Amino acid sequence: MGPPPYDGCMTAADQPQVAPYDALLLLSFGGPEKPEDVVPFLENVTRGRGIPRERLEEVGQHYFGFGGRSPINDQNRALLAAIREDLAAAGIDLPVYWGNRNWDPYLADAVSEMRADGIERAAVFTTSAYSSYSSCRQYRENLADVGAEVDGAPRLERLRQYYNHPGFVEPFVDETVRALGSLPETARDDAHLLFVTHSIPLAMNDGSGARGGAYVAQHLDVMAEVVEQVAARIGRTPQHELVYCSRSGAPHIPWLEPDVNDRLEEMAAEGVTSVVMVPIGFVSDHMEVVYDLDTEAMATAEGLGMAAARAGTPGTDPRFVALVRDLLLERAAAERGEVPVRTTVGSLGPGPDLCAVGCCPNPRAPRPAACGVDS
Ligand SMILES: CC1=C(CCC(=O)O)c2cc3nc(cc4[nH]c(cc5[nH]c(cc1n2)c(C)c5CCC(=O)O)c(CCC(=O)O)c4C)C(CCC(=O)O)=C3C
Ligand SMILES: [Fe+2]
């Protein structure tokens, strides 16, 4: 997993090699920071996507309930600071920028700033771990758009998907063990684990990855790995399953199910009395987590008389921050023609540096996307 932390005795020759890159760009979703931002933010997210008016009003209320401020931008500020510290501690002198798809600071502004600073070729880390149109190709389309929009934009090379990197998986293991331990003693031993991710349309899952179905397959692989590591720690294998949150879209279009709330009701009827929710679909505790899980699903569990706890997301866990450095150094080595170690856990192996032709297709109409074998 990358070089050892900088111990103060490193010589220039020992410094990890980031060439050919001269910058790193953190690319994220973005979120509103005050009540006036909420509606224009939602318009940015849903433009041309056929999300019913009622759903938008409902989601707007989630944001207003938190003072019109999503936690996501502050979480990215913290991640940005942690990445800068981690790189510096490893003796890597590389500027790190941040831009979003849907809200200020926008990707185009970050890339304009990079161009003004003379950046020529940057690696791009997205806050999205899995393969699907929303979590992969849509970011690649954003990179293609900004390349066309910003004259003289640097080359932007998206780092591979990292759902099965130990720096993403291990924080969930620790947090699952911690959350189990936070349940009342009588509820601990038969608590079920509910692994939770963002629902997407069935058709989007069917198209995800190079051969289809990758979104669900990747989550099942992460779930199996977390369960195995948790079992090794607690000496038993808890019951576990994958469920979904944050369904959107028109009601007649099928999305991945079961919804976490529906499943909690069924489980209560089946006699389950305690659960731990493990939000493996998410990198930080943003609105989907603090509203859809901590507010809505927790209220559902409480209403059913179940004991419930939630595991935290990677956020700024030092292992997750070091993952960014590991992927950067891995890709830099590959671009120099070396054959780097590509660290993964689970059964699926590392994803490609460049996405396959036609993977994770745009559900509406094909658009140019960067960072594919055909771009
Ligand atoms: C797979 C996936 C992830 C996980 C991977 C990743 O992290 O990238 C994710 C993350 C996020 N989704 C977010 C917010 C929203 N997503 C929406 C809508 C949608 N998401 C979708 C998928 C995903 N979304 C889809 C298929 C739609 C339907 C419309 C469309 O086809 O695009 C809507 C519109 C209202 C609604 O319909 O809910 C909002 C406001 C925020 C910000 C949270 C904050 O502010 O803290 C984050 C991190
Ligand atoms: Fe979303």
Short mmCIF file of all heavy atoms in Angstrom, two decimals, residues 27-51:
data_model
loop_
_atom_site.label_atom_id
_atom_site.label_comp_id
_atom_site.label_asym_id
_atom_site.label_seq_id
_atom_site.Cartn_x
_atom_site.Cartn_y
_atom_site.Cartn_z
N LEU A 27 -12.80 15.31 -7.38
CA LEU A 27 -14.05 15.60 -8.10
C LEU A 27 -15.22 15.00 -7.33
O LEU A 27 -15.24 13.80 -7.06
CB LEU A 27 -13.96 15.01 -9.51
CG LEU A 27 -15.22 15.08 -10.40
CD1 LEU A 27 -15.72 16.50 -10.58
CD2 LEU A 27 -14.92 14.44 -11.76
N SER A 28 -16.19 15.86 -6.96
CA SER A 28 -17.30 15.37 -6.14
C SER A 28 -18.65 15.85 -6.67
O SER A 28 -18.75 16.43 -7.74
CB SER A 28 -17.09 15.77 -4.68
OG SER A 28 -18.00 15.08 -3.85
N PHE A 29 -19.68 15.56 -5.89
CA PHE A 29 -21.07 15.81 -6.27
C PHE A 29 -21.47 17.26 -6.02
O PHE A 29 -22.12 17.89 -6.82
CB PHE A 29 -21.95 14.86 -5.46
CG PHE A 29 -23.34 14.71 -5.98
CD1 PHE A 29 -23.66 13.66 -6.83
CD2 PHE A 29 -24.35 15.59 -5.61
CE1 PHE A 29 -24.96 13.50 -7.31
CE2 PHE A 29 -25.65 15.44 -6.09
CZ PHE A 29 -25.94 14.39 -6.94
N GLY A 30 -21.04 17.80 -4.86
CA GLY A 30 -21.43 19.15 -4.46
C GLY A 30 -22.77 19.14 -3.76
O GLY A 30 -23.57 18.22 -3.93
N GLY A 31 -23.00 20.15 -2.93
CA GLY A 31 -24.28 20.25 -2.22
C GLY A 31 -24.52 21.69 -1.83
O GLY A 31 -23.59 22.51 -1.80
N PRO A 32 -25.80 22.02 -1.52
CA PRO A 32 -26.14 23.39 -1.12
C PRO A 32 -25.55 23.73 0.24
O PRO A 32 -25.31 22.85 1.06
CB PRO A 32 -27.67 23.36 -1.05
CG PRO A 32 -28.01 21.94 -0.75
CD PRO A 32 -26.96 21.11 -1.44
N GLU A 33 -25.30 25.04 0.46
CA GLU A 33 -24.73 25.46 1.74
C GLU A 33 -25.62 26.46 2.48
O GLU A 33 -25.31 26.84 3.60
CB GLU A 33 -23.33 26.04 1.53
CG GLU A 33 -22.41 24.99 0.89
CD GLU A 33 -20.94 25.17 1.18
OE1 GLU A 33 -20.50 24.76 2.27
OE2 GLU A 33 -20.24 25.73 0.32
N LYS A 34 -26.70 26.90 1.81
CA LYS A 34 -27.66 27.78 2.48
C LYS A 34 -29.02 27.60 1.81
O LYS A 34 -29.09 27.08 0.70
CB LYS A 34 -27.19 29.24 2.44
CG LYS A 34 -26.81 29.76 1.08
CD LYS A 34 -26.26 31.18 1.21
CE LYS A 34 -25.97 31.82 -0.14
NZ LYS A 34 -25.06 31.04 -1.02
N PRO A 35 -30.10 28.02 2.50
CA PRO A 35 -31.44 27.73 1.97
C PRO A 35 -31.63 28.20 0.52
O PRO A 35 -32.25 27.48 -0.28
CB PRO A 35 -32.37 28.47 2.94
CG PRO A 35 -31.62 28.49 4.24
CD PRO A 35 -30.17 28.62 3.86
N GLU A 36 -31.10 29.37 0.15
CA GLU A 36 -31.29 29.86 -1.22
C GLU A 36 -30.61 28.96 -2.25
O GLU A 36 -30.90 29.05 -3.43
CB GLU A 36 -30.71 31.28 -1.40
CG GLU A 36 -31.17 32.31 -0.39
CD GLU A 36 -30.32 32.31 0.87
OE1 GLU A 36 -30.64 31.50 1.79
OE2 GLU A 36 -29.34 33.06 0.97
N ASP A 37 -29.66 28.14 -1.82
CA ASP A 37 -28.96 27.26 -2.76
C ASP A 37 -29.79 26.03 -3.14
O ASP A 37 -29.51 25.38 -4.14
CB ASP A 37 -27.66 26.71 -2.15
CG ASP A 37 -26.62 27.79 -1.84
OD1 ASP A 37 -26.81 28.93 -2.28
OD2 ASP A 37 -25.62 27.44 -1.18
N VAL A 38 -30.77 25.68 -2.27
CA VAL A 38 -31.35 24.33 -2.37
C VAL A 38 -32.04 24.11 -3.71
O VAL A 38 -31.76 23.11 -4.40
CB VAL A 38 -32.32 24.07 -1.19
CG1 VAL A 38 -33.09 22.76 -1.40
CG2 VAL A 38 -31.55 24.02 0.12
N VAL A 39 -32.94 25.03 -4.12
CA VAL A 39 -33.69 24.80 -5.35
C VAL A 39 -32.76 24.83 -6.58
O VAL A 39 -32.81 23.90 -7.40
CB VAL A 39 -34.89 25.77 -5.46
CG1 VAL A 39 -35.53 25.70 -6.84
CG2 VAL A 39 -35.92 25.43 -4.37
N PRO A 40 -31.89 25.85 -6.72
CA PRO A 40 -30.99 25.80 -7.88
C PRO A 40 -30.06 24.57 -7.89
O PRO A 40 -29.77 24.03 -8.96
CB PRO A 40 -30.17 27.10 -7.79
CG PRO A 40 -30.56 27.78 -6.54
CD PRO A 40 -31.79 27.13 -6.00
N PHE A 41 -29.65 24.12 -6.72
CA PHE A 41 -28.84 22.89 -6.65
C PHE A 41 -29.65 21.71 -7.20
O PHE A 41 -29.17 20.95 -8.05
CB PHE A 41 -28.40 22.62 -5.21
CG PHE A 41 -27.96 21.20 -4.94
CD1 PHE A 41 -26.72 20.75 -5.38
CD2 PHE A 41 -28.80 20.31 -4.26
CE1 PHE A 41 -26.32 19.43 -5.14
CE2 PHE A 41 -28.40 19.00 -4.03
CZ PHE A 41 -27.17 18.56 -4.47
N LEU A 42 -30.90 21.57 -6.73
CA LEU A 42 -31.73 20.45 -7.19
C LEU A 42 -31.99 20.55 -8.69
O LEU A 42 -32.07 19.54 -9.38
CB LEU A 42 -33.05 20.40 -6.41
CG LEU A 42 -32.91 19.98 -4.94
CD1 LEU A 42 -34.25 20.09 -4.22
CD2 LEU A 42 -32.36 18.56 -4.82
N GLU A 43 -32.11 21.80 -9.20
CA GLU A 43 -32.28 21.96 -10.66
C GLU A 43 -31.03 21.49 -11.39
O GLU A 43 -31.12 20.82 -12.42
CB GLU A 43 -32.59 23.42 -11.00
CG GLU A 43 -34.03 23.79 -10.62
CD GLU A 43 -34.32 25.28 -10.65
OE1 GLU A 43 -33.39 26.10 -10.86
OE2 GLU A 43 -35.49 25.64 -10.43
N ASN A 44 -29.87 21.80 -10.85
CA ASN A 44 -28.63 21.31 -11.47
C ASN A 44 -28.58 19.79 -11.52
O ASN A 44 -28.20 19.20 -12.53
CB ASN A 44 -27.40 21.81 -10.69
CG ASN A 44 -27.08 23.27 -10.93
OD1 ASN A 44 -27.66 23.89 -11.82
ND2 ASN A 44 -26.18 23.81 -10.13
N VAL A 45 -28.95 19.17 -10.39
CA VAL A 45 -28.84 17.71 -10.29
C VAL A 45 -29.80 17.02 -11.25
O VAL A 45 -29.47 16.00 -11.86
CB VAL A 45 -29.13 17.23 -8.85
CG1 VAL A 45 -29.10 15.70 -8.77
CG2 VAL A 45 -28.14 17.82 -7.85
N THR A 46 -31.02 17.59 -11.39
CA THR A 46 -32.08 16.82 -12.04
C THR A 46 -32.44 17.32 -13.44
O THR A 46 -33.37 16.77 -14.05
CB THR A 46 -33.36 16.84 -11.18
OG1 THR A 46 -33.76 18.21 -10.99
CG2 THR A 46 -33.11 16.21 -9.82
N ARG A 47 -31.71 18.29 -13.95
CA ARG A 47 -32.02 18.83 -15.28
C ARG A 47 -32.15 17.70 -16.31
O ARG A 47 -31.23 16.90 -16.48
CB ARG A 47 -30.89 19.79 -15.70
CG ARG A 47 -31.22 20.66 -16.89
CD ARG A 47 -30.24 21.84 -16.99
NE ARG A 47 -30.44 22.82 -15.92
CZ ARG A 47 -29.46 23.30 -15.14
NH1 ARG A 47 -28.21 22.90 -15.31
NH2 ARG A 47 -29.73 24.18 -14.20
N GLY A 48 -33.31 17.63 -16.95
CA GLY A 48 -33.52 16.65 -18.03
C GLY A 48 -33.61 15.21 -17.57
O GLY A 48 -33.42 14.29 -18.36
N ARG A 49 -33.86 14.98 -16.28
CA ARG A 49 -33.83 13.61 -15.78
C ARG A 49 -35.18 13.03 -15.41
O ARG A 49 -35.28 11.93 -14.87
CB ARG A 49 -32.89 13.51 -14.58
CG ARG A 49 -31.48 13.34 -15.05
CD ARG A 49 -30.46 13.54 -13.99
NE ARG A 49 -29.31 14.16 -14.62
CZ ARG A 49 -28.45 13.51 -15.36
NH1 ARG A 49 -28.55 12.22 -15.53
NH2 ARG A 49 -27.45 14.15 -15.93
N GLY A 50 -36.25 13.80 -15.65
CA GLY A 50 -37.59 13.25 -15.41
C GLY A 50 -37.88 12.88 -13.96
O GLY A 50 -38.53 11.87 -13.71
N ILE A 51 -37.36 13.68 -13.03
CA ILE A 51 -37.68 13.43 -11.62
C ILE A 51 -39.00 14.15 -11.32
O ILE A 51 -39.11 15.35 -11.56
CB ILE A 51 -36.56 13.96 -10.69
CG1 ILE A 51 -35.20 13.38 -11.07
CG2 ILE A 51 -36.89 13.69 -9.22
CD1 ILE A 51 -35.08 11.89 -10.90
#
